[in-house]
Amino acid sequence: MIRQLVIAMIFANLATISVATSQAAPAQSSVVGFADTLMPQPSQLSTQEGRLAITASFSTVTDQFRDARLDAAIARSLVRIENRSGVFLPTTPQTNAASANLVVSVDGPEGTIQSIDEDESYSLEVTSSSAHLRAATVVGAMHGLATLEQLIQSDATGYFIPTVVIHDTPRFRWRGLMIDCGRHFIPVDVLKRTLDGMASVKLNVFHWHLSEDQGFRIESKAFPKLTEFGSDGLFYTQEQAREIVAYARDRGIRVVPEFDMPGHTSAWFVGYPDLASAPGPFQIERKFGVFDPVMDPTRESTYKFLDTFIGEMAAIFPDHFLHIGGDENNGVEWKGNPRIQDFMREHNLKNTAALQNYFNQRLLKLLSKHGKHMIGWDEILTPDLPKDVMVQSWRGFDSLAAGAKNGYNGILSAGYYLNLMSPAAAHYAVDPLPDHTDLSAEQQTRILGGEACMWEEQTSALDIDSRIWPRAAAVAERLWSSRNLSDVEDMYRRLEVESLRLESLGLTHISQEDVSLRQLSGTEQIAPLQTLASVLEPVPFDERAHLQHANQLTPLDLLVDALPPDPPSRHNFELLVHAYLQHPGGRTGAQTELTGKFNEWINGEPGILRLMADSPLLAQAEPRAQQLSELGTVGLEAVSILSSGLPAAAGWKGARLAVLDEAEKPQALVRFTVLKPLRDLVNAVPEAGGGK
Amino acid sequence: MIRQLVIAMIFANLATISVATSQAAPAQSSVVGFADTLMPQPSQLSTQEGRLAITASFSTVTDQFRDARLDAAIARSLVRIENRSGVFLPTTPQTNAASANLVVSVDGPEGTIQSIDEDESYSLEVTSSSAHLRAATVVGAMHGLATLEQLIQSDATGYFIPTVVIHDTPRFRWRGLMIDCGRHFIPVDVLKRTLDGMASVKLNVFHWHLSEDQGFRIESKAFPKLTEFGSDGLFYTQEQAREIVAYARDRGIRVVPEFDMPGHTSAWFVGYPDLASAPGPFQIERKFGVFDPVMDPTRESTYKFLDTFIGEMAAIFPDHFLHIGGDENNGVEWKGNPRIQDFMREHNLKNTAALQNYFNQRLLKLLSKHGKHMIGWDEILTPDLPKDVMVQSWRGFDSLAAGAKNGYNGILSAGYYLNLMSPAAAHYAVDPLPDHTDLSAEQQTRILGGEACMWEEQTSALDIDSRIWPRAAAVAERLWSSRNLSDVEDMYRRLEVESLRLESLGLTHISQEDVSLRQLSGTEQIAPLQTLASVLEPVPFDERAHLQHANQLTPLDLLVDALPPDPPSRHNFELLVHAYLQHPGGRTGAQTELTGKFNEWINGEPGILRLMADSPLLAQAEPRAQQLSELGTVGLEAVSILSSGLPAAAGWKGARLAVLDEAEKPQALVRFTVLKPLRDLVNAVPEAGGGK
């Protein structure tokens, strides 16, 4: 919790800075004759008029290296193109490259474990007769196939791939998504579709946060009481974990498991209280925040346990890295235990940070023994650690840079916390290597990338898709594409298309909203509620945490849980108002559309209130229905006055801004997405007796 | 295919008969002060004013028998009530029955294998302070819990259970759903949510059609080539099959596997050609229909294979029954094989039916050896078979009755083919024991129930939910509730509520339509397309089969695949028109709503055409957009004339009926749902110079 709030603060600053930056940046030039919706944008793209048609005779060949993983990746892509186009395409790679429409040339096999040094680059050359995809590795080829799928377009004549030449290589080699499966359990099928989404935007690390105060989520055969008492029965079997690892590998994604230690470990201690620094018994923690329970780093039995446990996990997770967490140990139990205090004195450990460093050093030996590199959050970085330890920074770029200056590799997560409910633009503006860095060229190479983080205090399996997608695609582009890419409007334009592609993979980030609105209102006739929902989004994470006091057992079934953060309607309304303000006097399409929307808001109120009347869960948001109508009236008035070319009566503006201020206040954990552009609209109205 | 067409014909007749029946039947009386949405309707229900509130102190106790299965069922129900109400309810059964709000009293354990004689009855008594659920078995208690969930209601004051007394017992003991996973593979998670849906409407048999000409879908360790060559890699591992069996048992559902023999077996022969009656090699069949490949019943090696195979499957599927299919063997390969002809002569088998009877007799011995009773389709029923063989009738009630007269137990499936795209009302009108039966009381006891069937020629994992749900709930009610229940309008009223409850279980039968419309049009702005979709449904199965010539590899990604059969809008529009026709002269709410709809249809056309312009898959339905607009005009004109009280100009009616006739013609595999009521509307208009 504390980490979340600190992050929120850091992030609020970052967002402000970066929005300013992005507004100042020049727009990307769009390529003529080609509707570019690629996300992430490739390093180099050139195009010419022409197209490769998708027809029933479309054939595919692998003409160099080929294995089951490559075959499966090609088959998946062809099935998707098939579903998109309605044209059945044979999925069995043939052998005659000369007559094939898609030739996939991969140099050769890579290691059985995908490393951070994997060559992920590819090139794709599409002519009007064929497409040629070249890559050094299968992973590179998979990225090329993802690009190929994104290239598919249609017009009245059919489905086709435009003629392009692409040379593409990622800017950063660690592009991750962390999912906290500790605070709320996420089922295997949800993780699988998430991995499909990741692959489609070229993310390459699934960081699986598997243990928390609120739940221990993976079966240990050596220590079965971890899940028997620490999981509420909600955990992954080893079989399922292997299934996820294999599924990820098939999509060019590494799986880095995290076992957060020595803090955030309440759930471990329910079954194994002897691991703890205070006497038990322990309970699964239901509240969210930072808690006292912490492993006892002074007893050899702790390391014996961890040796066995890490050995067991190392056999399930082949990745070279294992994440040990290491964050938010408040030291309370260490200070309160005389035996531990004695140990610190004997070993000349001056404070709890020094004791945690001792713990990390011991842990490091165990990881090495089992063939793993260590990665952990900022707190683990102490000068004594060897240089192959890697840091994941929730504290921000300065902390990351300090590590790099001391010779440590690192990745950035501050600025990429999806649970904060920030707009995609804010995440997009955060760069692991910002322009203003004072790092040397060599130090810069130590910044390996970043990870979007999905913490699960306020999210469950039902709404996780809309909390991750499509915003994670904006982070994916930031980590893959050029730093110079900063056209936020173009990002949003492509993000809207990518969102539909993600939906085609089975993700429910769009559909879940209506499902939840139907469940909340008990009817399929939800049109009025959809009007309200279209201008609302969840409040920021910290605001909800402050207002709701939820714990792990609180049902997540309110209006706020139905709403996606940063919906396309938010950005589109902003564009509409600004388009209107270009010519407020003329009768433009923008004016008609805007007036239509305002009338819809005004007319929606009775229907919304009717749907809320019998639904106590929805009723909490009743004031929002009335405010929506008021906002519609403010909008209509503003447009009416602006169109007339006459000034408003004195006091008009102040009264209308007060309506907006009122709508800004917290209510039912949801906020309006339209207030800023509405404010712009009201402020654009000239007032009698005053300046504009 | 032939079976499908025969069924379609039988069914068309049945539907006509039964709609007439249901219209003649008296409406059910509704209970005062209680919004009854129970589905299926219980045997006995009485109610009085009052409610049991759902509050945070709601507690649950099992005061007699208790096991893990019962605990899990209670926990599931409480979590659902929790998600519905937003109130966290402790799920750990407590021990103090006196203070509990929900007391579950189960007499004792039943057998480890759920039998067809299981006592499924329960009673539920709700007062303003507590609910008492009593059942002889855990399965009975599960049905009671399903009813309890359906009772939850809300108003402005909160969520509650109305005070009712229910005594409930099923009319039939075999209430099944068959899913054909051979023609299209259905993933495990889809099957699981289907089982959840089945449990919610008290269906108790999942008939798992696991092998077909188009695919062999379950792993055999003894004969791995069955799936290696016969499944396209799409099959259930034994582990997954056990998972499904356990999941079903946890929900009071038996799993009856079907291995269709001796025909429908092309996929077996790809890996094991020696089983066949003709020389190989064989291919997975891609087309749909009845094919020649058939097992060789004359070789001992066939029975040796089947002995091992059935033994292996018997260990996975504990149910007392194993379904052997037995349908649609055309005898061609038997007639064409001299060795088989010799065998028939030697054994005095006069025709291929006699040879199939010989095969069945041999198979029966193998089933008995492995502890299984035989069930098969109509064709297996020959006089020589012992009386414990059971028949599933796709041919219809007469065939079923003939079996019953000869002493055989049977279930009905004719009339319950969900793939035919018939309205729920048509299925609802089909009774396994119709009023006009000439069966004796004893013979009637041999009719054990029925099964809804989901054949998968035209359905894949993406749209299966909307093909099964909510219509299967109408079949479930027919099989559980009183024969006298025949108020179709009340059924539709409750079905609409049940549909939302089914959605809360994770079923996608409602949400998939918009997902597909977005995918087809490539945008989230699908409002015009939703207008069109709201008055369309898929054409009947046989019409599509005739028009499309699809095979197993044809992508199912057209507009028709997005549309649910028998959408609520169909019935609701019918009600609206008939409500309007009660008072066509007055300015009623019905008139306003109707006029609004017609205008929406007219105004929708440009938007629909714009969305179709770049989507060749959608463009096939372009004529429907124009027709929609024309239908809107016809409707507006009719309402306008009827409201005026004046007659239409001569020729008006004929011209307008011609528009409806035109709209009736096949187009893009979709049909309008509104033509019949529109016809009623036009016919209600008096014409100048003629009678009404």
Side-chain angles (χ1 to χ4, degrees), chain A residues 83 154 500 503 518 557 614, chain B residues 83 154 503 518 557 614:
Chain A
N83 285 333
S154 70
L500 287 168
E503 182 172 47
R518 283 189 287 268
D557 58 354
D614 285 340
Chain B
N83 285 332
S154 70
E503 181 173 46
R518 282 190 288 268
D557 58 354
D614 285 340

Side-chain angles (χ1 to χ4, degrees), chain B residues 142-378:
Chain B
M142 287 183 198
H143 293 321
L145 288 167
T147 299
L148 188 78
E149 289 177 42
Q150 293 189 354
L151 284 169
I152 303 291
Q153 317 205 0
S154 70
D155 62 15
T157 65
Y159 294 85
F160 62 90
I161 310 169
T163 50
V164 293
V165 178
I166 290 173
H167 291 277
D168 201 7
T169 191
R171 178 169 166 227
F172 292 109
R173 49 196 163 141
W174 190 302
R175 305 177 308 280
L177 171 65
M178 188 225 66
I179 299 183
D180 164 16
C181 299
R183 291 180 174 87
H184 281 103
F185 179 74
I186 304 298
V188 167
D189 57 325
V190 179
L191 294 182
K192 283 186 177 173
R193 68 187 187 222
T194 306
L195 289 165
D196 283 318
M198 290 175 67
S200 83
V201 294
K202 303 181 171 63
L203 289 171
N204 68 355
V205 179
F206 170 41
H207 169 172
W208 200 356
H209 189 83
L210 280 163
S211 67
E212 257 306 334
D213 291 306
Q214 294 80 7
F216 191 95
R217 302 296 182 200
I218 183 166
E219 174 192 21
S220 163
K221 293 185 196 295
F223 305 108
K225 286 191 280 188
L226 285 170
T227 52
E228 188 181 351
F229 296 104
S231 76
D232 297 306
L234 298 168
F235 64 93
Y236 309 98
T237 64
Q238 296 197 355
E239 189 66 35
Q240 289 173 320
R242 287 199 174 89
E243 204 178 313
I244 288 291
V245 168
Y247 196 90
R249 174 167 168 79
D250 267 357
R251 283 151 185 81
I253 297 170
R254 299 164 43 215
V255 178
V256 176
E258 175 179 354
F259 304 100
D260 205 348
M261 302 179 266
H264 285 288
T265 38
S266 303
W268 304 54
F269 303 155
V270 190
Y272 296 94
D274 291 350
L275 286 175
S277 299
F282 294 87
Q283 303 288 326
I284 294 176
E285 181 58 58
R286 300 305 180 187
K287 294 195 292 298
F288 300 127
V290 173
F291 303 97
D292 298 344
V294 61
M295 284 182 181
D296 186 339
T298 68
R299 285 197 283 207
E300 284 309 305
S301 56
T302 300
Y303 301 105
K304 189 156 174 281
F305 181 103
L306 290 176
D307 186 7
T308 306
F309 176 75
I310 290 167
E312 190 181 10
M313 293 301 121
I316 298 169
F317 298 101
D319 197 77
H320 298 305
F321 285 85
L322 190 144
H323 202 299
I324 61 135
D327 56 319
E328 298 185 322
N329 165 25
N330 65 14
V332 168
E333 287 194 354
W334 287 351
K335 289 176 196 151
N337 184 327
R339 192 171 42 71
I340 292 176
Q341 290 294 310
D342 290 345
F343 181 93
M344 286 169 69
R345 269 186 300 275
E346 284 160 24
H347 290 74
N348 199 25
L349 299 165
K350 296 207 174 72
N351 52 29
T352 55
L355 180 56
Q356 183 157 347
N357 181 42
Y358 168 86
F359 173 77
N360 287 343
Q361 296 280 4
R362 296 289 306 264
L363 204 51
L364 190 62
K365 286 202 188 77
L366 297 179
L367 261 59
S368 296
K369 174 180 166 187
H370 297 291
K372 300 295 179 192
H373 292 286
M374 178 184 282
I375 174 168
W377 300 99
D378 303 72

Side-chain angles (χ1 to χ4, degrees), chain A residues 82-88 154-159 189 239-240 243 496-497 499-505 510-511 514-515 518-520 522-525 530 553-558 568 572 613-618, chain B residues 82-88 154-159 189 239-240 243 496-497 499-505 510-511 514-515 518-520 522-525 530 553-558 568 572 613-618:
Chain A
E82 207 171 286
N83 285 333
R84 173 82 193 281
S85 66
V87 176
F88 171 70
S154 70
D155 62 16
T157 65
Y159 294 85
D189 58 325
E239 190 65 35
Q240 289 172 321
E243 202 179 314
E496 210 171 329
V497 181
S499 186
L500 287 168
R501 287 193 291 249
L502 290 163
E503 182 172 47
S504 77
L505 303 173
I510 303 176
S511 59
D514 283 353
V515 171
R518 283 189 287 268
Q519 293 302 320
L520 278 164
T523 174
E524 287 197 46
Q525 314 307 317
Q530 286 171 315
L553 303 173
T554 306
L556 297 174
D557 58 354
L558 300 174
N572 290 336
D614 285 340
S615 170
L617 293 184
L618 272 179
Chain B
E82 205 171 289
N83 285 332
R84 173 83 192 282
S85 66
V87 176
F88 171 71
S154 70
D155 62 15
T157 65
Y159 294 85
D189 57 325
E239 189 66 35
Q240 289 173 320
E243 204 178 313
E496 210 171 328
V497 180
S499 186
L500 287 168
R501 286 192 290 249
L502 290 162
E503 181 173 46
S504 77
L505 302 174
I510 304 176
S511 59
D514 283 352
V515 171
R518 282 190 288 268
Q519 293 302 319
L520 278 163
T523 173
E524 286 196 46
Q525 313 307 316
Q530 287 172 315
L553 303 172
T554 306
L556 297 174
D557 58 354
L558 300 174
N572 291 336
D614 285 340
S615 170
L617 293 183
L618 272 179

